[in-house]
Amino acid sequence: MGQQETADVDEVFRVETHGIDPIPDAERHGSAKDLFWLWFGSNLTFTYVINGALAVAFGLSFWQATAVVVIGGLSFFAISAAGLGGSRTGTATLVLSRAAFGVRGNLPAGVLNWVVSIGYTIVNTVVGTLALEVFFSEIGWDGGSAGRAVALLVTLALTFAVAMWGHATVQFAERWMAYVLAAGFGALLVFVLPGAETSAPAAAPGLSGWSLAFVVMLAGPFSYLPMPADYTRYLPRTTSLRSITWMGALGGFLSSVALGVAGVAAATQTDMTDAVAGAESLLPGWFQPLFLALVLGGSVTNSIITLYSSSLNLQVLGIPWSRARAIVISAAVTAAGSLAALFLTDFTTSLLSFLSLLIIVFAPWGGVFLADMVLRRCRYDADALHAGSAGAYWYRAGYHPAGLTALLAGIVFAALTCDSALWTGPLVAPLGGADLTLLGAAVSGLTYWALARRVPAYVPAA
């Protein structure tokens, strides 16, 4: 009987007992199709509507901005592929990255990723809370500060409950919420798309406009790079790598592109400075309360996966707690940050500026991680990933020189070519205002390939 209880740990509405420890083969389950619904549902978020609108604000026409949205959606093939090692080792992405950076060298990125996860969870929580507050007002309850507090409590409760239960419940919730959100956002697209202004603007956007649009569109998907294996680690070891890549990529692509195009179409018709109010103004009155519910639902589905991954992240950083206990830390920080964002008017803007700046680190980090995965052909020594100083991934005092050198090269390039609210690199002006931050991934990946492919440890194990 005890063996049966151990084998049934990943069940819907039952607290998951595994964390970053390898999932035994006997407890693996599911199929690659589960990844479609996970990435489809979690990306049915209003953020992509905002991103599409920003592309137009940068001077792109409807068709130019739509092209950027589609190219941004294609990045989910890289994001989905980043989860391939999870099915082979049964562990999380930030454990796999120990192979590229070393056990100790992996920790700084782990800290930053936790900050990014919580930061985006706060942003989504605030968006959902404000939408629910407006919903309360439209149905006749203007509760002031009390109404906002209730809206925040509801949003946090929906997110925390699902993430606390764990992997199986996360997948279940994302799938069923996707059905509802897809229908609702599909209606939004029907209302907004026909009125889009498709003629070219009077002035060309220039290199600066194009580059900023790409950075905005790709920053969201890139922020997922440290978490895809968190959701593939329960898949059977024999699951096709191609099916894992395609199912996850299609899910993220379809939802992000559909909502991005909706944002582009809306921005050609109305002022989207306040994106929720701008989009709402294009909708029939009867649909507006439903639209606000969609904004809330999309915020929750996205927050669920970032909050869940943050608990695994804390275990990677050495918090000696179970995943379910560690998530309480993330939830508490999210609640505190959301309170600050809702009652300190400049906090959300400052937080978004800070999060956008972190692409300087995460684009190069992703380049190294993906290059390492390709060199290994997704083959890792699963025991060594958890063995610390006794394992093959300890390298030199816990640091992998090739990985850290490549990461530094990518960060330097990204910092020199970044154009953000908090930092403008010295090469931006000579480049005509272009923001080439994302190319830091290519720089770090190619540097790592040159350094690591000559190291015997990178001959893939059988």
Side-chain angles (χ1 to χ4, degrees):
M1 184 174 182
Q3 184 178 0
Q4 180 64 30
E5 290 177 353
T6 301
D8 291 337
V9 291
D10 191 41
E11 293 181 346
V12 177
F13 304 130
R14 178 176 176 180
V15 176
E16 176 192 8
T17 59
H18 283 300
I20 62 171
D21 53 302
I23 308 300
D25 286 341
E27 296 179 30
R28 305 286 193 95
H29 61 86
S31 71
K33 291 180 181 178
D34 297 329
L35 299 176
F36 173 86
W37 292 108
L38 177 86
W39 290 107
F40 182 70
S42 63
N43 284 284
L44 285 169
T45 172
F46 193 73
T47 301
Y48 289 107
V49 176
I50 297 173
N51 292 346
L54 284 173
V56 175
F58 293 142
L60 275 65
S61 70
F62 174 85
W63 293 112
Q64 290 169 336
T66 297
V68 173
V69 168
V70 171
I71 293 172
L74 290 173
S75 67
F76 276 98
F77 279 90
I79 306 306
S80 189
L84 295 178
S87 65
R88 294 299 176 263
T89 62
T91 195
T93 307
L94 282 170
V95 175
L96 295 173
S97 60
R98 290 170 176 169
F101 301 101
V103 176
R104 287 176 172 168
N106 191 51
L107 293 177
V111 172
L112 286 177
N113 180 66
W114 184 79
V115 171
V116 169
S117 296
I118 296 302
Y120 277 113
T121 305
I122 290 171
V123 171
N124 278 318
T125 299
V126 169
V127 171
T129 298
L130 293 177
L132 186 55
E133 183 183 18
V134 175
F135 177 81
F136 287 157
S137 178
E138 292 194 355
I139 63 174
W141 180 47
D142 188 5
S145 296
R148 178 169 291 189
V150 170
L152 173 60
L153 183 62
V154 170
T155 306
L156 286 171
L158 290 172
T159 304
F160 177 71
V162 175
M164 166 67 84
W165 271 315
H167 175 267
T169 310
V170 167
Q171 286 196 321
F172 175 85
E174 293 290 353
R175 181 173 190 138
W176 285 98
M177 291 179 74
Y179 295 152
V180 177
L181 292 174
F185 279 120
L188 171 69
L189 199 58
V190 170
F191 291 132
V192 172
L193 194 57
E197 175 57 60
T198 58
S199 60
L207 187 58
S208 175
W210 280 102
S211 64
L212 287 172
F214 274 113
V215 168
V216 165
M217 214 63 63
L218 292 168
F222 264 74
S223 69
Y224 291 131
L225 270 172
M227 62 178 75
D230 302 0
Y231 305 100
T232 61
R233 72 193 205 281
Y234 275 94
L235 292 177
R237 196 182 301 269
T238 55
T239 307
S240 163
L241 298 184
R242 179 177 296 180
S243 64
I244 289 174
T245 302
W246 273 91
M247 287 295 101
L250 285 175
F253 176 84
L254 290 175
S255 50
S256 65
V257 169
L259 296 189
V261 170
V264 171
T268 66
Q269 303 171 65
T270 188
D271 180 11
M272 290 288 283
T273 304
D274 181 339
V276 173
E280 190 177 18
S281 70
L282 299 174
L283 303 173
W286 65 267
F287 189 74
Q288 290 176 3
L290 296 177
F291 166 70
L292 294 170
L294 290 174
V295 176
L296 169 63
S299 298
V300 170
T301 60
N302 196 259
S303 292
I304 285 170
I305 67 167
T306 54
L307 188 62
Y308 174 79
S309 286
S310 74
S311 63
L312 298 176
N313 196 156
L314 287 174
Q315 288 190 314
V316 173
L317 294 177
I319 300 294
W321 289 0
S322 67
R323 181 207 59 81
R325 290 182 63 193
I327 205 170
V328 175
I329 298 176
S330 295
V333 175
T334 297
S338 299
L339 284 169
L342 289 164
F343 294 99
L344 299 176
T345 56
D346 62 342
F347 181 85
T348 303
T349 301
S350 300
L351 178 61
L352 283 170
S353 298
F354 173 68
L355 292 174
S356 67
L357 188 63
L358 288 184
I359 196 69
I360 291 176
V361 175
F362 279 100
W365 184 92
V368 175
F369 177 76
L370 291 173
D372 180 75
M373 184 187 73
V374 171
L375 283 169
R376 296 180 187 280
R377 301 177 191 174
C378 297
R379 296 173 182 171
Y380 299 87
D381 183 336
D383 293 332
L385 288 169
H386 299 272
S389 59
Y393 303 122
W394 187 250
Y395 301 112
R396 297 182 185 177
Y399 301 93
H400 187 205
L404 296 176
T405 300
L407 177 62
L408 181 60
I411 289 174
V412 169
F413 177 88
L416 290 173
T417 59
C418 175
D419 184 14
S420 72
L422 298 180
W423 168 258
T424 300
L427 295 183
V428 172
L431 290 169
D435 185 333
L436 304 181
T437 312
L438 293 172
L439 290 181
V443 171
S444 63
L446 291 172
T447 303
Y448 186 75
W449 186 281
L451 295 174
R453 66 194 299 263
R454 294 184 175 87
V455 179
Y458 283 81
V459 176

